[in-house]
Amino acid sequence: MKVLVVEDQIKLANSIKEGLENFGYAVDAVHDGTKALALLEFGYYNYDIVLLDIMLPGTDGIVICSTLRNKNIMIPIIMLTARDTVENKVSGLDAGADDYIIKPFSFEELVARIRALLRRPEIMVASELQCGDIVLNTLNHKITKRGVEVPLTLKEFAILEYFMLHANQVLSRDQILAHVWDHAYDAFSNIIDVHVKNLRKKLQNKNETIFETIHGVGYRFNA
């Protein structure tokens, strides 16, 4: 899963980013509201959820949220706010936010709210994904094949999850890179190929073609 953190307090944004990465999420952090809105208007599909501060330089979080919803961009949004009045909570929800959390907050609560939001049926993210004999549990980060647990690194897990959510679809290397790594990563790196090679070793038998190479494009996960 990939998260966009929109927070102008750089220390807090970096803390959230580091914490979520320790849970296996890929995270981008933006500190300006206008930049965040432009990023989401043209590339919202690169993210699974947005953590959006209300008080931002440039464009505030309420405007960002309402603008996205008016354009039918329904990416899940959790508002981050230092204001705990009913009016401010209502303003965020009326603008189209899915949830809110009041600063300062515990990191455990934030992760729990992210998980709860991504489990909602309308967002189409299940707690367990299954393709053939491979089962991926998004809650405990366990992978099994034919009932046997297969240990994966955090990045291998994230790539496999992305493949399973888009089973039988051709995914370009750029799509995978954009979804699993932050936007500062070198687009010309062969890191995707290295991780797919490792996934093949761990999950694909000699007579199987689970991770199919589509030459000149990328990969297809055959369910």
Side-chain angles (χ1 to χ4, degrees), residues 4 6 30 32-47 50 52 59 63-75 77:
L4 178 65
V6 186
V30 178
D32 176 86
T34 302
K35 180 179 179 180
L37 179 58
L39 181 64
L40 287 167
E41 283 181 308
F42 296 101
Y44 66 90
Y45 45 81
N46 287 321
Y47 301 99
V50 180
L52 179 62
T59 306
V63 173
I64 292 173
C65 190
S66 60
T67 300
L68 295 176
R69 298 313 191 219
N70 288 336
K71 294 187 175 184
N72 291 319
I73 297 174
M74 295 299 153
I75 185 170
I77 295 173

Side-chain angles (χ1 to χ4, degrees), residues 148-197:
V148 178
E149 186 173 347
V150 180
L152 299 183
T153 66
L154 289 176
K155 286 302 183 186
E156 289 168 355
F157 182 95
I159 293 172
L160 179 62
E161 181 182 38
Y162 190 51
F163 273 134
M164 293 178 74
L165 287 169
H166 300 83
N168 302 312
Q169 299 177 29
V170 177
L171 299 175
S172 70
R173 290 174 177 82
D174 286 343
Q175 284 177 295
I176 301 168
L177 194 66
H179 188 86
V180 180
W181 275 265
D182 62 39
H183 52 49
Y185 205 85
D186 182 4
F188 296 100
S189 170
N190 70 337
I191 193 68
I192 300 297
D193 304 300
V194 172
H195 281 293
V196 171
K197 181 180 179 181

